[in-house]
Amino acid sequence: ISMDGTGLGDDGNIWGGEFLICDLSSYSRFKHFEYIPLPGGDKVTKEPWRTGLSYLYQCFSEQTFDYHWPFLESTQKDHVRIMLEAIDKKINAPLSSSAGRLFDAVAAITGVCTHAKFHAEAPMRLEAVIQPGIDDAYPFDLGEAISFRSTLDELIHDLRNGVSTGILSARFHNTFVNVLFAMACQIRKETRLEKVVLSGGTFQNKYILSRIEKKLAGDGFSVFAQEKIPTNDGGIALGQLAIAAKRRSPGPGDRSEKSQSSITNH
């Protein structure tokens, strides 16, 4: 289970909410979060309101503007329209399945963080406001791609009814954990795999990591998470080295002398 902010996928889109079946030599993408356009490209990491707007537009289309959104108060209406035109015309609006951008969107919509001054500020602030003792969660959809449209629909309903930010955040985080668990169960049902590796910057979120580890272990999964290396970008290089080493290692029946020669020459 790979949950992070930005990674170039093999389809040319930005990945970051992925469920992969893999070993050191190959992988297949079992399922992923629904693609969302990112108006402005990398600029969305500093202006989470852009991703919040994109999620609302994807989920509710023109109905986006049937409600006054407090998180857009500081943004000029013309600027908002430009962002929507960029999405419609696919101008500098790459598609992303990123978990990090989902957290950005929720942080923006709830008013927790619309502009970030440092990396991952929005998700960090969203985690920081979680109200303890909340166990309920929002719905979600496990279709061809995992959709959070029903999640946002319910969250926005709560927002309009004056539910506190702490409860909104808790319910969203619980929803995210439920998605991870549901997908792990679905993969096990179809493949009989019971080893689950949790990786990516999203798992720096202690609330999510502790709860998903407990749920998975309680249901008989073998759960693996980083202890000695970073769970985010810092661990990528080590993973690449491990895969490269596996691909360079001699295969069955290869003569060690020939294999060593091949490695030396390349």
Side-chain angles (χ1 to χ4, degrees), residues 249-264:
S249 63
D254 288 349
R255 293 192 303 170
S256 60
E257 184 176 333
K258 180 179 179 181
S259 299
Q260 181 61 45
S261 174
S262 176
I263 293 173
T264 302

Side-chain angles (χ1 to χ4, degrees), residues 24-41:
L24 287 175
S25 60
S26 64
Y27 74 92
S28 63
R29 192 187 192 197
F30 186 88
K31 194 167 288 192
H32 59 88
F33 290 174
E34 187 176 36
Y35 281 127
I36 296 293
L38 302 180

Side-chain angles (χ1 to χ4, degrees), residues 65 72 75-82:
F65 297 100
L72 293 175
T75 305
Q76 296 181 359
K77 290 184 178 180
D78 288 346
H79 200 179
V80 172
R81 285 294 178 187
I82 290 172

Side-chain angles (χ1 to χ4, degrees), residues 23-78:
D23 55 24
L24 287 175
S25 60
S26 64
Y27 74 92
S28 63
R29 192 187 192 197
F30 186 88
K31 194 167 288 192
H32 59 88
F33 290 174
E34 187 176 36
Y35 281 127
I36 296 293
L38 302 180
D42 286 344
K43 200 163 185 178
V44 298
T45 60
K46 295 182 179 180
E47 299 182 12
W49 70 266
R50 293 171 179 250
T51 312
L53 176 65
S54 183
Y55 262 96
L56 292 178
Y57 193 50
Q58 176 105 337
C59 294
F60 310 113
S61 189
E62 290 299 328
Q63 295 179 0
T64 299
F65 297 100
D66 290 346
Y67 176 72
H68 173 68
W69 299 101
F71 82 96
L72 293 175
E73 283 183 351
S74 61
T75 305
Q76 296 181 359
K77 290 184 178 180
D78 288 346

Side-chain angles (χ1 to χ4, degrees), residues 41-233:
D42 286 344
K43 200 163 185 178
V44 298
T45 60
K46 295 182 179 180
E47 299 182 12
W49 70 266
R50 293 171 179 250
T51 312
L53 176 65
S54 183
Y55 262 96
L56 292 178
Y57 193 50
Q58 176 105 337
C59 294
F60 310 113
S61 189
E62 290 299 328
Q63 295 179 0
T64 299
F65 297 100
D66 290 346
Y67 176 72
H68 173 68
W69 299 101
F71 82 96
L72 293 175
E73 283 183 351
S74 61
T75 305
Q76 296 181 359
K77 290 184 178 180
D78 288 346
H79 200 179
V80 172
R81 285 294 178 187
I82 290 172
M83 292 301 101
L84 297 184
E85 287 182 12
I87 292 172
D88 288 337
K89 297 178 180 179
K90 301 180 180 179
I91 300 173
N92 194 23
L95 296 177
S96 171
S97 61
S98 166
R101 301 295 77 80
L102 172 64
F103 278 78
D104 282 352
V106 173
I109 293 170
T110 56
V112 171
C113 182
T114 58
H115 293 76
K117 297 179 180 178
F118 56 86
H119 179 67
E121 179 181 0
M124 291 170 65
R125 289 191 179 279
L126 192 62
E127 179 187 6
V129 300
I130 294 173
Q131 180 170 316
I134 305 298
D135 295 323
D136 50 327
Y138 295 121
F140 54 87
D141 303 297
L142 298 181
E144 184 174 341
I146 301 164
S147 173
F148 291 93
R149 299 185 186 211
S150 58
T151 304
L152 290 177
D153 190 35
E154 291 292 326
L155 184 147
I156 290 167
H157 180 268
D158 281 350
L159 182 65
R160 292 175 176 175
N161 286 335
V163 176
S164 71
T165 305
I167 294 178
L168 295 177
S169 180
R171 288 174 177 170
F172 168 71
H173 278 80
N174 293 340
T175 304
F176 192 85
V177 170
N178 289 346
V179 168
L180 302 186
F181 181 72
M183 280 306 308
C185 291
Q186 182 176 335
I187 292 173
R188 178 173 63 181
K189 182 178 180 180
E190 296 188 24
T191 67
R192 297 186 180 180
L193 291 173
E194 294 190 330
K195 293 181 179 179
V196 182
V197 178
L198 307 173
S199 188
T202 301
F203 290 109
Q204 288 184 305
N205 185 311
K206 293 181 180 179
Y207 185 95
I208 289 174
L209 180 59
S210 62
R211 279 159 179 74
I212 189 58
E213 282 185 319
K214 184 177 180 180
K215 283 179 73 73
L216 290 170
D219 204 58
F221 287 95
S222 297
V223 188
F224 300 86
Q226 280 79 358
E227 292 183 350
K228 296 183 178 180
I229 61 172
T231 191
N232 58 353
D233 295 355

